[in-house]
Amino acid sequence: MLYLIGLGLGDETDITVKGLSIVKKAARVYLEAYTSILLVDKAVLEQYYGREVILADREMVESASDDILHDAQNVDVAFLVVGDPFGATTHTDLVLRARALKIPITSIPNASIMSAIGATGLQLYNFGQTVSMVFFTETWKPASFYNRIRENREIGLHTLVLLDIKVKEQSLENMARGRKIYESPRYMTVGQCASQMLEIEEMKSGEGTGGVYGEESLAVGVARIGGKTEKFVSGTLKQLCLADQELGGPLHSLVLLGRRTHELESEYVREFAVDKEGWDMIWKRDYEGRQ
């Protein structure tokens, strides 16, 4: 059996009882280590589980999945995923490969950013499509997320923005030369995301297709949600461009408030505001009464 086991978002103790019992008896245990990170090291997991944990990086999962699936028709293999097993499409692909090999599959769900984001006080059924923000380069600034944010905004819903992480990535030069040299890990911050969003908004406005979110649009920055040091900061996108020091280390996420934000949601999120009086003013002007 191939078991896809969600680890939750915090530390080694967030695994479910069911998931832990499978880990303890599995022939091999893999930890997917590139779509997200847990807030503790692999060594902490190994001590808690009493098992060796094999790191499964992007290269292994996408190019050497046969190693993970080897003999899983006859033994139990545990594949650990930070958050929920199906929070990334890569894991769907692994399941399809297992199906093709007639390997039985079971998933053990857990908390993910998609559910844990409710800790902001924003109601989960008021969220629209989730989008991802990647690191911009001088020559590559993709804006495909913009239209989905526009669609959410048009029906008044919040948008959860998942921020890019770069783990075991090669530079273009090293990739072209076939050199197995990897860049240092990078994790996008709320400030970087907010700045890039405003950059794309300026570009779209120049093309006559802007007007989705501006400097005074309200948003919530989230750091290490589900962990002992989780942190929330709310304010305008312009204010959140400067919020990284307050939010601290990775992982970060961003929520753009929809125009149907309920008064109780605003009251809850206001407690995290950089400027509470400024929040009230913008809320009354742009959001109040538009549920």
Side-chain angles (χ1 to χ4, degrees):
M1 179 80 74
L2 172 66
Y3 289 95
L4 281 78
I5 301 173
L7 296 183
L9 297 169
D11 57 31
E12 73 280 10
T13 65
D14 282 352
I15 190 171
T16 64
V17 174
K18 182 186 292 184
L20 183 58
S21 67
I22 294 167
V23 167
K24 287 185 176 294
K25 68 181 180 68
R28 299 190 306 279
V29 180
Y30 294 91
L31 172 63
E32 187 268 275
Y34 68 92
T35 58
S36 189
I37 58 168
L38 207 59
L39 300 179
V40 294
D41 293 332
K42 178 174 80 80
V44 176
L45 296 184
E46 291 178 324
Q47 182 178 11
Y48 189 74
Y49 300 158
R51 293 295 312 277
E52 176 193 8
V53 174
I54 304 166
L55 281 181
D57 58 21
R58 179 188 294 273
E59 191 173 327
M60 175 181 282
V61 177
E62 295 185 348
S63 304
S65 62
D66 288 347
D67 293 342
I68 297 172
L69 300 176
H70 175 68
D71 204 32
Q73 299 93 333
N74 303 307
V75 300
D76 289 337
V77 175
F79 186 77
L80 310 181
V81 180
V82 178
D84 187 78
F86 292 105
T89 54
T90 298
H91 311 134
T92 303
D93 186 58
L94 183 64
V95 168
L96 292 175
R97 296 184 197 190
R99 282 181 183 171
L101 295 171
K102 308 300 183 184
I103 296 170
I105 302 143
T106 296
S107 64
I108 312 298
N110 208 322
S112 74
I113 184 63
M114 307 287 281
S115 57
I117 200 66
T120 57
L122 300 174
Q123 297 163 3
L124 293 179
Y125 50 76
N126 281 342
F127 279 79
Q129 303 169 87
T130 297
V131 303
S132 297
M133 175 72 76
V134 301
F135 283 109
F136 287 176
T137 68
E138 288 298 320
T139 57
W140 189 60
K141 298 180 180 181
S144 57
F145 65 88
Y146 192 85
N147 287 336
R148 282 189 285 165
I149 293 177
R150 183 194 302 278
E151 289 169 2
N152 289 344
R153 180 176 174 81
E154 286 175 351
I155 55 177
L157 299 179
H158 312 311
T159 300
L160 170 61
V161 185
L162 304 179
L163 311 192
D164 200 5
I165 70 172
K166 298 291 187 184
V167 179
K168 203 174 181 182
E169 296 277 339
Q170 293 174 277
S171 67
L172 291 176
E173 180 183 353
N174 286 329
M175 190 180 300
R177 294 178 181 273
R179 296 185 298 213
K180 297 291 185 179
I181 300 173
Y182 301 100
E183 305 288 296
S184 298
R186 290 191 296 150
Y187 307 97
M188 183 179 286
T189 66
V190 162
Q192 290 171 314
C193 178
S195 296
Q196 289 187 180
M197 287 196 62
L198 292 177
E199 184 177 353
I200 293 297
E201 178 61 49
E202 183 178 2
M203 181 190 76
K204 292 289 186 178
S205 295
E207 297 171 351
T209 58
V212 175
Y213 280 91
E215 289 187 349
E216 290 199 346
S217 297
L218 297 180
V220 186
V222 178
R224 300 171 305 284
I225 194 165
K228 296 175 183 177
T229 62
E230 71 178 8
K231 182 75 175 178
F232 306 103
V233 176
S234 60
T236 64
L237 279 179
K238 183 176 182 180
Q239 289 169 337
L240 292 185
C241 287
L242 305 174
D244 287 349
Q245 185 172 353
E246 187 172 353
L247 284 167
L251 290 170
H252 288 194
S253 302
L254 180 74
V255 180
L256 302 167
L257 260 66
R259 291 191 179 276
R260 287 169 53 186
T261 301
H262 192 276
E263 184 178 355
L264 292 178
E265 292 179 287
S266 177
E267 183 179 347
Y268 196 106
V269 174
R270 180 185 184 275
E271 289 304 306
F272 316 131
V274 174
D275 173 11
K276 290 183 171 60
E277 291 184 1
W279 178 278
D280 291 339
M281 182 185 71
I282 295 173
W283 158 255
K284 290 181 181 298
R285 186 187 68 198
D286 296 340
Y287 293 83
E288 187 177 39
R290 300 194 181 188
Q291 292 92 328

